[in-house]
Amino acid sequence: MDIEWHAPERQFEVFFSDVEVPPHALIGDEGKGFRYLFDSLNGERILIAAWAAGLGRFALGKAVNYARHRAPFGSPIGGYQAVQHPLARAHSHLEAARLMIRAASAEYDGGADAGAKANIAKLLASEAAGEALDVAVQVHGGHAFVAETDIATLWPMVRTMRTGPINNESILNYIGQHVLGLPRSFEVTAP
């Protein structure tokens, strides 16, 4: 079979209808496949969280370095509270996300149900990365859009992490229902 690749992000869907799996071919317990699928996605959420946090730290590091050295009026712009406070806030949010990633990783590696922490880690890290990148753009000003700074080029990936592999709104639904014990916010009905 020949598959023509047009872009590295090409995705495919596979549908199975009316497929019977004999008992000897089952992995796990019958009827729990959907639960197994969702449990397997926790590792993916932790990975995306770590990736997002790393990109956020990269962007923030560039902004902090720029703020230390950019001195258009004789003193570094990093000394101005209007520059320093957003950098400090972004750093704090990235650190909180990092701690949640570590907690989620420990639960996942220990075989515990890491769903809550994995979802929270992905939510916090993707939002903190977006904040850090936004601050980096502001600190760099027009220089953020120059290829040599490598700031604006991060935006598509950082923004994607708020929507994939699961969007942050779905994560908030999960937290509301499974962590806080609130009623399900939506019902899926078959056509």
Side-chain angles (χ1 to χ4, degrees):
M1 171 171 37
D2 292 331
I3 297 176
E4 186 176 329
W5 293 95
H6 296 286
E9 66 275 351
R10 188 171 183 145
Q11 297 182 16
F12 299 91
E13 291 182 336
V14 177
F15 295 92
F16 296 98
S17 298
D18 300 320
V19 175
E20 290 192 32
V21 178
H24 72 277
L26 287 178
I27 299 173
D29 298 325
E30 184 175 353
K32 294 185 178 178
F34 202 62
R35 178 77 256 152
Y36 295 147
L37 171 67
F38 274 100
D39 287 345
S40 74
L41 297 177
N42 291 332
E44 182 181 41
R45 290 182 182 121
I46 295 168
L47 175 66
I48 294 298
W51 188 6
L55 286 172
R57 289 174 61 90
F58 178 75
L60 185 66
K62 285 185 160 287
V64 168
N65 187 51
Y66 188 79
R68 283 185 185 136
H69 296 97
R70 176 81 170 123
F73 305 109
S75 62
I77 63 172
Y80 300 119
Q81 289 180 349
V83 173
Q84 195 174 99
H85 288 184
L87 291 168
R89 181 171 283 111
H91 171 76
S92 298
H93 293 160
L94 285 167
E95 282 296 298
R98 184 181 65 81
L99 291 172
M100 185 53 74
I101 293 165
R102 289 172 84 72
S105 297
E107 277 193 5
Y108 186 78
D109 288 347
D113 177 11
K117 285 188 174 66
N119 276 294
I120 293 169
K122 193 269 185 190
L123 173 74
L124 293 178
S126 64
E127 290 184 353
E131 176 188 18
L133 181 57
D134 189 57
V135 169
V137 169
Q138 286 301 110
V139 168
H140 279 83
H143 290 118
F145 302 97
V146 175
E148 290 79 23
T149 63
D150 197 29
I151 298 296
T153 59
L154 299 173
W155 190 86
M157 183 53 63
V158 169
R159 179 59 183 91
T160 299
M161 291 180 176
R162 288 180 23 215
T163 57
I166 182 173
N167 65 49
N168 286 358
E169 291 74 21
S170 292
I171 287 177
L172 292 170
N173 288 339
Y174 177 93
I175 294 167
Q177 182 181 353
H178 298 283
V179 177
L180 301 177
L182 298 171
R184 187 177 176 134
S185 65
F186 62 92
E187 287 297 324
V188 178
T189 57

